[in-house]
Amino acid sequence: MNATLAVSVIMPVLNEERHLRNSVRHILEQEYDGEMEVVIAIGPSSDRTEEIAAELVREDPRIHTVPNPTGRTPAALNAAIKASRHPIVVRVDGHGMLSPNYIATAVRLLEETGAQNVGGIMHAEGENAWEDAVAAAMTSKIGVGNAAFHTGGEAAPAETVYLGVFRREALEQQGGYNEEFIRAQDWELNFRIREAGGLIWFSPELKVQYRPRPSVKALAKQYKDYGRWRHVVARYHAGSINLRYLAPPTAVCAIAAGIVVGAALTPWGFVVPAGYLAAIVAGSVPAGKGLSLKARAQIPVALATMHMSWGFGFLTSPRSLAKKVIASRRPAVRTTKV
């Protein structure tokens, strides 16, 4: 594979007024010698996202846009893939900032590993005290367990990776993203690629700066959706569940039971929620190293929001949603070449 192969960068965006221009700037300033295009798939936004995208198109001929009337991420990705033309496809979100050599490194890793998709670390960084607290929670083991794309790790084959840099042939062979997966569409596509004999590769060399949700409400919705769709994935593919995914719903049940027992039977029931609170407060101390006092004070709030929302989403995920998704299952198409 030539290190200067042309690349298509695809971006699904919806209400990304705050970060879109900066995200695109990080793409256009990549240290990469190959030809590049940027395809922005725009959902029905309620802010200035469309206006900013139109400005970017006028400013640089490498940028163009396609509509995404549904606003759904997998539909946006498929529309952008269809409108793009180069052999390497780089997924970037509207609030993600690529490190300077991200594309060049990814193309090199595709060649070195023979992988169909490579990805790296979701490096959360905030712009205020609350976002710093969320970023600390999202990059700590007490917040997200041992997920390599959050906390780092050794380069190795992986089940899935953050965003991803694909060989176009792998995307086309699998028919793109399954649009029934409103969340977890990356996992589902990578599952089909692996099922067909392809390799998904994680490398800490690849880093994308990520902006956390700006409020408790937004973070709670994000993690509730994560939990809801993780349960869908568990029903879609029974072998994909592990103890890390079961920890938040177990915590929700245990805390709820402890409160009920403490209120109705004995104060000893409150030991469970008190123990959880003590654990996240203690865990926030190393996670908040180097942050402002205001940010450190908010880390337990971020941790509890993530855990409880994820667990609640997992527990309340409707079986009917999983049935609908399972009915849309696409068989993996086995690759004929690496």
Side-chain angles (χ1 to χ4, degrees):
M1 180 182 290
N2 191 310
T4 56
L5 277 175
V7 302
S8 297
V9 181
I10 59 171
M11 298 183 69
V13 300
L14 178 70
N15 294 324
E16 290 289 0
E17 172 187 47
R18 182 180 172 193
H19 299 301
L20 178 57
R21 179 171 287 278
N22 196 25
S23 181
V24 171
R25 178 178 64 81
H26 278 75
I27 296 168
L28 299 179
E29 293 179 355
Q30 284 290 295
E31 298 170 0
Y32 187 69
D33 295 330
E35 184 181 351
M36 183 190 304
E37 66 173 350
V38 181
V39 183
I40 305 173
I42 305 175
S45 301
S46 58
D47 61 8
R48 294 183 60 251
T49 295
E50 291 190 46
E51 182 181 336
I52 293 169
E55 292 171 358
L56 291 168
V57 170
R58 290 194 294 270
E59 293 166 8
D60 196 303
R62 292 173 291 178
I63 303 171
H64 59 282
T65 63
V66 293
N68 174 33
T70 69
R72 294 181 171 186
T73 299
L77 291 166
N78 283 341
I81 291 167
K82 185 177 180 180
S84 66
R85 54 197 173 90
H86 294 320
I88 304 299
V89 178
V90 181
R91 177 184 171 177
V92 182
D93 285 344
H95 46 271
M97 319 295 165
L98 300 184
S99 53
N101 61 349
Y102 181 90
I103 292 177
T105 301
V107 173
R108 172 178 60 80
L109 289 171
L110 285 172
E111 180 176 21
E112 290 177 355
T113 64
Q116 276 64 53
N117 181 20
V118 299
I121 294 174
M122 178 184 179
H123 184 65
E125 289 189 5
E127 295 181 319
N128 54 48
W130 165 250
E131 291 180 4
D132 284 342
V134 177
M138 291 180 69
T139 53
S140 68
K141 290 189 176 181
I142 191 173
V144 294
N146 60 350
F149 69 85
H150 280 297
T151 61
E154 299 294 325
E159 275 194 0
T160 191
V161 290
Y162 180 55
L163 301 180
V165 178
F166 298 83
R167 299 173 189 263
R168 175 177 294 276
E169 61 193 37
L171 293 172
E172 292 178 345
Q173 284 163 344
Q174 302 307 328
Y177 291 85
N178 183 335
E179 295 185 14
E180 292 296 337
F181 273 81
I182 309 306
R183 296 287 185 271
Q185 64 275 157
D186 297 301
W187 180 92
E188 193 277 336
L189 174 59
N190 287 320
F191 171 72
R192 279 185 283 133
I193 291 174
R194 289 187 294 106
E195 196 173 43
L199 175 65
I200 310 300
W201 187 261
F202 166 82
S203 173
E205 291 184 76
L206 298 172
K207 185 179 291 187
V208 180
Q209 191 180 88
Y210 169 87
R211 297 298 186 214
R213 295 297 193 268
S215 67
V216 172
K217 182 179 178 181
L219 182 67
K221 183 181 185 305
Q222 178 187 20
Y223 271 78
K224 184 191 77 171
D225 288 344
Y226 282 172
R228 186 184 200 208
W229 281 90
R230 184 64 240 187
H231 204 162
V232 171
V233 166
R235 287 166 169 157
Y236 183 91
H237 178 48
S240 68
I241 201 67
N242 60 40
L243 292 178
R244 176 165 67 90
Y245 297 127
L246 294 176
T250 300
V252 169
C253 292
I255 290 169
I259 291 172
V260 170
V261 170
L265 299 176
T266 172
W268 284 106
F270 292 117
V271 168
V272 176
Y276 170 77
L277 180 60
I280 61 172
V281 169
S284 70
V285 174
K289 187 177 180 181
L291 297 182
S292 69
L293 180 61
K294 186 176 181 181
R296 294 201 302 270
Q298 295 182 84
I299 293 174
V301 178
L303 288 169
T305 301
M306 291 162 56
H307 294 161
M308 297 299 102
S309 299
W310 202 103
F312 178 79
F314 188 94
L315 291 168
T316 59
S317 182
R319 189 173 293 275
S320 59
L321 179 59
K323 288 181 178 178
K324 181 180 179 182
V325 167
I326 291 168
S328 73
R329 186 191 297 268
R330 298 179 183 180
V333 179
R334 189 160 294 276
T335 59
T336 56
K337 58 182 179 178
V338 176

